[in-house]
Amino acid sequence: MEIKFNINEDKGLHIFVGKMGTGKSNLLNAINWCLYGDEPIIEGKDQLINKSDMSTDEQPRLNTEKYKCLKPGNTEIVSVKIYIVDGNSTIIFQREEKYRLVNEKTVNVSEDNFEVTIIEPDTQPQIFEEYTANAYVEKFVPQEIRDYFFFDGEKLDRYFKETSGHMNKHAIETISQIEILEKSKETLDDIFSEYRRLTTKNIPELKKITEDLEAVEDKIKKLEEEKVLLDSQKGTAKDTESHYDRLLRGVPDVKKLSEEQSRKEEKKGKLKEKRNEKEKVYKDLLRKYSVLIPIDPAIQFVLDYISSNQSIGKFPPTNDERLIEEIIHKKECICGRTVDSEEIKILEKLKEKISLPAKIVAEILEESGKLKNLKKEIVNFPDVMKRNYEDIDGLDSEIDSIQNEIDEIGRKIKGYDQEQIGKYYENRGLARETIDRNNNRLGQISSELDKLKRESKDLTEKLNKGKNLIEDTSTIESKKDFVNNSREILEKIKDNVIVKIKNEVEEKTKDIFLKLSWKKQTFNGVKLDDNYKLYLIHEDGFKISKTSSGGEGEILALSFVSALHEVSGFNSTVVIDRPITLVSGEATLKVAEVLTKMSSNKQLILMFNTDEYPLVSTVLDNACSDKFLVGLTSSERECYIQKVI
Amino acid sequence: MGDPDRLYIDKDDRTIYKKLKEIGIFKDLQDKDQFMFAMGYGIRYKQKIPLKSRENFFLVDRFKDEDIVVLNSLAIYENRNANEPIEILKDKAEIYKIAEEYAHGGILLIEGSSNTQIESFWKFLEKELDEIYIKKIINKESKSNE
């Protein structure tokens, strides 16, 4: 497939429009792969969705149609060529990879080749490979700063909201090209040490001080190198943390949520057990009251019966039938006196009058207490049942509520690839660990450096005081001073160059931003602070570190990118995937207008989703030099690109 | 003849008790408690049916004090028209016989009600108890207070 852009001096805008998943991002990846051999946009949120039907093997770069038709032993080539026209010269970057089917499942990358061809008028084309080819890429767009040329719109919007200044600092140092100054300074340091050794080698006291000083300086140098390394690692870790923050924004921590879901399931299980116990109590109560309630009239009758007999003095009985029987039988009174026949007759008449046996009456009186308790229980029936219902209802609503929480978690994590998300969280955690670990170590280094610098200062003063012991060293001393002055000057030059470039970039960013922005009244400046973090300056003078979705973040990013390009001289094409994806409202058209303005002096390749492009088509259709539609063939295995403007 | 030492059910009722245990209405209940439940059901619907053929069910020593109180009250109430209703307490055999006849009537009714879903049975029972409680206990008490 060949994509040829119209070269138009005034219209450097090229547009691709296609549905999600048709392969627009592949274009950005193809450029990156061709120049640097990797595909940075391969990780996306869509990867977090569990694609259980996909092979877990790494997907080959070979397109699906070719991959399907690949026969064992045959070779297919994946190749990307980028043609750059620069005046009369043409530069061709080309990378290719060969694929061979080893067995039904495995595709083997058998070769990888990268070359750069330079075609100039009236000369034979020059072909460069390996190191030289890579050096050409570095001259075109250094890998270190490629993120400022080829990026996705989401990143563009969030770049200045989230990224630390580390990347900006690194980019500015890269374009300042200060490596040669650093190397020169290192050489001067070595010469200076050598001279110092020479002047003190014959004076034992000074020789010892020099050796101590060199040891201290060596430690300082190592610590400073470690500090630079740690700072750099910390910066990278901060960017990594931001990267995963971005990927994980709105994405649930599936592992944590799954654990929470299990805990809730366990809690639900316990509540259900409790509920079952309560239900058993409920059934036991129903069984109990199934006897008590129907028997209530009988209980009430007996209680009334006892009560009425008590009220008439019948209960408890005054005569004991068994005692009378015993007296009649023994003919002896309880006091021991013999009872005569007349008295027996009276006792027999009395016995006839006793209608109820005392034993039964005693029994029923004894039961009256229990009957009253049963009556109380019957009266309490509604309250007892109510308490039980409330307990069950309470448990039911607790179970419902916990079930809702479980379902909610289920909805949150449904369809996500737990393993992939887990890895993202793990990576973000590792980045955080690195930041914390490096911060600790940097703190230690800082105090160690303070101590060593004090030691170095003391030793230098001692050495200077002992200068009078040095005989006839004026020539070496003056050389040493010269070298020392030179390295100090170099250090200043290096700092000045960086500051100058930084100021230039800041100034340029401000100029471009104010030219591009439609909110000239709100913002009156741009600040690149000491940590290289970029801020907008409000008209009232305060710094704004976080922008809304009103598009100003994107404009700031684009301004910085353009400034970097202008200052560095690396004026390559800019490729942006979905530039308006996170801009909303009227800002969408404004951003489109800004992109149009930018394209008047910079080649811009923009890629849009079909549902986003209509929002900006009125502006961009007229401004672009060509527009392409990207789609999939009916087999959905290959994409096609059709030029429509 | 001494007092009886056991309670009896109708021979045919044995399978009903067994079935009700299996379907859960009598789950985890001892024979004595199953009997009391059936008796309550019989009292509620005034189903006092003499046993056709007796079969041993459980020993009287399974009864707790409250159970005895309930059986005695039932017998006294049944004998409420006699000169001295509590005289019946002298006759333990008659007390148990009354309980057995109500339990027999009750178990046949429970069998009929249990053909619905088990959970519906409990809901039905609960509703019934509520109704009886309101109609027969609350209303009666408010009348007697008037």
Side-chain angles (χ1 to χ4, degrees):
Chain A
M1 182 186 298
E2 187 176 306
I3 306 165
K4 199 171 177 182
F5 298 116
N6 286 335
I7 306 294
N8 186 328
E9 287 290 316
D10 304 324
K11 283 183 171 184
L13 185 60
H14 313 283
I15 288 166
F16 289 83
V17 181
K19 282 184 185 167
M20 187 90 90
T22 48
K24 297 183 301 302
S25 301
N26 278 351
L27 194 62
L28 191 51
N29 273 333
I31 295 169
N32 271 287
W33 181 69
C34 176
L35 296 173
Y36 311 106
D38 61 15
E39 295 174 78
I41 333 278
I42 203 147
E43 281 183 340
K45 280 191 179 174
D46 58 335
Q47 278 217 323
L48 302 179
I49 306 300
N50 192 5
K51 295 171 182 167
S52 54
D53 55 334
M54 276 178 65
S55 159
T56 52
D57 296 337
E58 194 185 336
Q59 292 266 306
R61 264 176 276 277
L62 201 59
N63 80 35
T64 321
E65 190 65 39
K66 293 282 180 196
Y67 176 63
K68 202 185 159 212
C69 300
L70 195 60
K71 288 180 181 152
N74 289 357
T75 304
E76 286 288 352
I77 299 171
V78 173
S79 170
V80 177
K81 276 188 193 180
I82 300 172
Y83 290 75
I84 306 289
V85 178
D86 184 12
N88 290 327
S89 309
T90 301
I91 309 166
I92 306 165
F93 297 97
Q94 179 179 8
R95 187 181 296 271
E96 64 177 39
E97 240 177 11
K98 289 182 182 171
Y99 282 86
R100 186 159 44 84
L101 197 62
V102 171
N103 58 43
E104 280 185 4
K105 285 185 180 175
T106 312
V107 175
N108 183 36
V109 179
S110 54
E111 280 177 53
D112 178 5
N113 182 44
F114 178 60
E115 62 180 36
V116 176
T117 309
I118 311 286
I119 305 168
E120 286 180 330
D122 307 324
T123 55
Q124 286 292 314
Q126 289 176 278
I127 298 172
F128 302 97
E129 291 177 337
E130 297 177 352
Y131 176 79
T132 330
N134 288 328
Y136 261 96
V137 175
E138 287 300 301
K139 276 165 80 180
F140 176 58
V141 176
Q143 185 166 5
E144 298 278 1
I145 55 167
R146 65 165 152 167
D147 283 350
Y148 293 89
F149 291 84
F150 318 124
F151 39 83
D152 65 285
E154 204 170 315
K155 190 172 173 180
L156 185 68
D157 180 76
R158 290 179 166 155
Y159 191 80
F160 293 104
K161 292 180 193 170
E162 295 165 356
T163 312
S164 66
H166 163 73
M167 264 184 77
N168 299 341
K169 183 171 188 275
H170 191 63
I172 286 171
E173 283 178 356
T174 303
I175 66 166
S176 300
Q177 295 178 306
I178 51 167
E179 296 96 330
I180 190 155
L181 293 176
E182 278 177 344
K183 277 182 187 155
S184 305
K185 190 183 165 285
E186 278 170 22
T187 310
L188 287 174
D189 285 347
D190 291 344
I191 296 169
F192 177 79
S193 298
E194 186 57 33
Y195 282 146
R196 196 167 53 191
R197 273 196 294 274
L198 277 174
T199 54
T200 58
K201 69 176 181 182
N202 295 321
I203 307 158
E205 306 96 289
L206 296 186
K207 191 183 172 196
K208 176 75 178 63
I209 296 172
T210 306
E211 281 168 1
D212 289 348
L213 184 58
E214 280 185 358
V216 169
E217 283 174 345
D218 195 42
K219 279 185 194 167
I220 290 174
K221 194 180 167 194
K222 281 182 180 155
L223 283 175
E224 277 176 342
E225 279 169 4
E226 191 185 348
K227 185 172 175 278
V228 169
L229 181 71
L230 291 172
D231 270 330
S232 164
Q233 283 176 350
K234 194 176 108 178
T236 309
K238 275 189 173 177
D239 293 341
T240 305
E241 191 184 36
S242 301
H243 168 72
Y244 285 106
D245 272 345
R246 183 170 61 82
L247 283 177
L248 290 167
R249 180 165 288 125
V251 175
D253 184 343
V254 179
K255 193 180 169 201
K256 203 172 150 194
L257 285 171
S258 295
E259 285 166 1
E260 198 185 331
Q261 198 178 31
S262 303
R263 278 197 300 276
K264 286 188 187 296
E265 286 286 3
E266 201 179 317
K267 194 178 168 191
K268 189 181 88 179
K270 282 182 185 161
L271 286 171
K272 277 195 165 176
E273 269 175 38
K274 254 190 183 179
R275 203 233 180 251
N276 289 342
E277 281 166 24
K278 286 283 168 193
E279 191 163 309
K280 189 175 176 298
V281 171
Y282 159 77
K283 286 175 183 170
D284 286 345
L285 283 171
L286 279 181
R287 287 188 190 109
K288 179 178 157 186
Y289 280 108
S290 285
V291 180
L292 288 184
I293 289 180
I295 204 78
D296 178 72
I299 291 173
Q300 190 58 54
F301 174 80
V302 177
L303 284 172
D304 290 346
Y305 175 80
I306 294 169
S307 170
S308 61
N309 278 301
Q310 279 175 327
S311 66
I312 58 170
K314 198 172 172 183
F315 287 174
T318 46
N319 299 311
D320 187 332
E321 158 210 16
R322 277 174 305 168
L323 186 63
I324 293 169
E325 265 177 11
E326 204 179 315
I327 296 170
I328 293 169
H329 178 71
K330 287 185 181 172
K331 293 180 179 163
E332 187 184 282
C333 181
I334 46 169
C335 61
R337 180 179 62 83
T338 308
V339 179
D340 61 28
S341 55
E342 272 311 300
E343 286 170 326
I344 297 284
K345 277 180 192 167
I346 294 167
L347 285 171
E348 276 173 348
K349 277 184 184 173
L350 185 63
K351 193 188 149 204
E352 276 169 23
K353 280 185 183 172
I354 297 171
S355 55
L356 282 174
K359 190 184 162 195
I360 291 174
V361 175
E363 190 181 334
I364 199 74
L365 286 176
E366 197 185 313
E367 283 180 2
S368 72
K370 287 173 191 150
L371 286 168
K372 280 175 187 164
N373 287 340
L374 288 177
K375 184 70 191 172
K376 261 187 205 165
E377 279 198 61
I378 294 167
V379 171
N380 286 338
F381 165 71
D383 291 339
V384 171
M385 293 310 281
K386 194 181 162 204
R387 274 200 299 277
N388 191 260
Y389 299 148
E390 281 170 358
D391 287 348
I392 291 177
D393 286 350
L395 287 166
D396 278 344
S397 57
E398 261 191 87
I399 291 166
D400 284 350
S401 147
I402 209 160
Q403 185 59 53
N404 286 341
E405 287 168 21
I406 290 166
D407 293 345
E408 182 60 31
I409 293 174
R411 276 191 291 280
K412 275 185 192 165
I413 63 176
K414 190 182 173 190
Y416 282 103
D417 183 340
Q418 188 172 341
E419 202 181 332
Q420 184 73 60
I421 294 171
K423 270 185 197 162
Y424 285 5
Y425 273 98
E426 196 183 319
N427 289 345
R428 190 174 69 172
L430 287 174
R432 180 35 55 189
E433 271 177 31
T434 305
I435 295 165
D436 293 343
R437 195 175 51 241
N438 285 14
N439 275 340
N440 283 341
R441 180 63 190 140
L442 282 166
Q444 286 172 352
I445 288 175
S446 173
S447 66
E448 279 177 51
L449 277 174
D450 284 348
K451 195 181 148 208
L452 288 167
K453 280 177 181 170
R454 277 196 303 275
E455 270 182 49
S456 166
K457 198 182 161 196
D458 290 348
L459 289 166
T460 308
E461 277 170 11
K462 275 186 192 170
L463 206 60
N464 287 337
K465 276 180 191 165
K467 265 183 178 176
N468 59 334
L469 297 171
I470 302 168
E471 295 166 5
D472 194 22
T473 53
S474 56
T475 318
I476 298 174
E477 265 302 302
S478 60
K479 281 182 184 173
K480 198 181 87 181
D481 289 344
F482 175 76
V483 172
N484 196 28
N485 289 338
S486 303
R487 61 179 193 162
E488 280 172 10
I489 289 166
L490 266 183
E491 186 65 38
K492 278 183 189 162
I493 292 172
K494 195 185 95 178
D495 291 345
N496 285 343
V497 167
I498 294 175
V499 170
K500 183 175 165 278
I501 299 287
K502 179 175 168 263
N503 289 343
E504 268 185 58
V505 170
E506 183 186 81
E507 199 55 34
K508 240 342 153 207
T509 307
K510 180 186 163 187
D511 288 348
I512 299 169
F513 179 81
L514 293 178
K515 216 180 278 174
L516 294 179
S517 176
W518 59 94
K519 292 184 177 175
K520 292 182 177 64
Q521 303 305 313
T522 314
F523 308 108
N524 69 0
V526 170
K527 177 82 185 156
L528 194 57
D529 72 5
D530 292 344
N531 296 317
Y532 292 78
K533 185 125 176 97
L534 200 62
Y535 297 95
L536 282 173
I537 306 293
H538 190 265
E539 58 171 346
D540 296 331
F542 55 83
K543 288 195 294 188
I544 300 170
S545 58
K546 287 187 177 174
T547 55
S548 65
S549 61
E552 55 268 34
E554 286 215 15
I555 305 306
L556 183 61
L558 289 168
S559 306
F560 182 75
V561 165
S562 298
L564 208 63
H565 293 189
E566 278 191 40
V567 173
S568 68
F570 296 113
N571 203 13
S572 158
T573 305
V574 170
V575 185
I576 310 175
D577 186 12
R578 302 180 64 198
I580 56 163
T581 192
L582 289 174
V583 189
S584 56
E586 62 167 342
T588 313
L589 274 181
K590 298 284 186 189
V591 170
E593 281 165 9
V594 166
L595 291 165
T596 309
K597 274 190 207 172
M598 262 184 86
S599 71
S600 61
N601 57 8
K602 173 171 286 298
Q603 191 177 26
L604 274 182
I605 299 174
L606 306 177
M607 290 174 275
F608 293 91
N609 272 346
T610 37
D611 53 345
E612 286 173 351
Y613 189 69
L615 304 171
V616 289
S617 60
T618 49
V619 174
L620 298 184
D621 272 354
N622 292 326
C624 67
S625 56
D626 36 30
K627 184 170 110 178
F628 302 88
L629 292 182
V630 185
L632 287 177
T633 58
S634 53
S635 68
E636 295 191 347
R637 290 200 181 98
E638 277 187 311
C639 91
Y640 65 83
I641 293 179
Q642 184 192 351
K643 190 166 180 168
V644 288
I645 293 179
Chain B
M1 214 171 109
D3 290 341
D5 67 342
R6 63 196 62 209
L7 268 288
Y8 295 86
I9 54 171
D10 195 284
K11 240 180 191 174
D12 294 342
D13 293 348
R14 175 72 72 182
T15 50
I16 304 174
Y17 278 98
K18 212 173 157 186
K19 177 190 155 195
L20 293 174
K21 192 157 188 165
E22 279 166 9
I23 64 169
I25 292 175
F26 286 167
K27 194 183 171 193
D28 301 329
L29 286 190
Q30 292 178 359
D31 291 345
K32 181 267 292 183
D33 292 316
Q34 295 174 30
F35 175 88
M36 292 296 281
F37 184 78
M39 183 191 80
Y41 224 85
I43 298 167
R44 195 181 329 155
Y45 290 100
K46 296 182 175 62
Q47 291 295 303
K48 184 168 171 270
I49 303 171
L51 275 58
K52 283 179 276 175
S53 55
R54 298 195 329 154
E55 187 174 292
N56 166 34
F57 200 38
F58 61 91
L59 293 172
V60 293
D61 63 8
R62 302 282 177 218
F63 282 129
K64 291 181 188 166
D65 285 353
E66 309 88 86
D67 300 323
I68 300 287
V69 171
V70 165
L71 296 191
N72 286 350
S73 301
L74 174 64
I76 294 168
Y77 189 64
E78 284 291 302
N79 198 36
R80 63 186 176 279
N81 295 325
N83 235 5
E84 292 296 351
I86 63 165
E87 260 195 330
I88 199 166
L89 298 184
K90 287 191 288 187
D91 189 353
K92 293 288 176 203
E94 186 58 24
I95 294 170
Y96 298 150
K97 185 171 165 261
I98 293 168
E100 285 165 356
E101 288 179 358
Y102 274 116
H104 178 45
I107 200 76
L108 297 172
L109 287 171
I110 297 171
E111 190 197 17
S113 310
S114 68
N115 290 329
T116 55
Q117 289 283 316
I118 179 90
E119 287 312 309
S120 314
F121 173 80
W122 294 112
K123 288 286 157 203
F124 167 72
L125 188 61
E126 186 188 321
K127 197 171 159 243
E128 272 197 328
L129 291 176
D130 275 339
E131 279 173 11
I132 303 169
Y133 182 84
I134 293 164
K135 275 185 198 165
K136 299 200 172 171
I137 301 176
I138 301 282
N139 292 347
K140 198 175 169 187
E141 274 175 12
S142 29
K143 268 182 196 170
S144 64
N145 287 337
E146 282 165 15

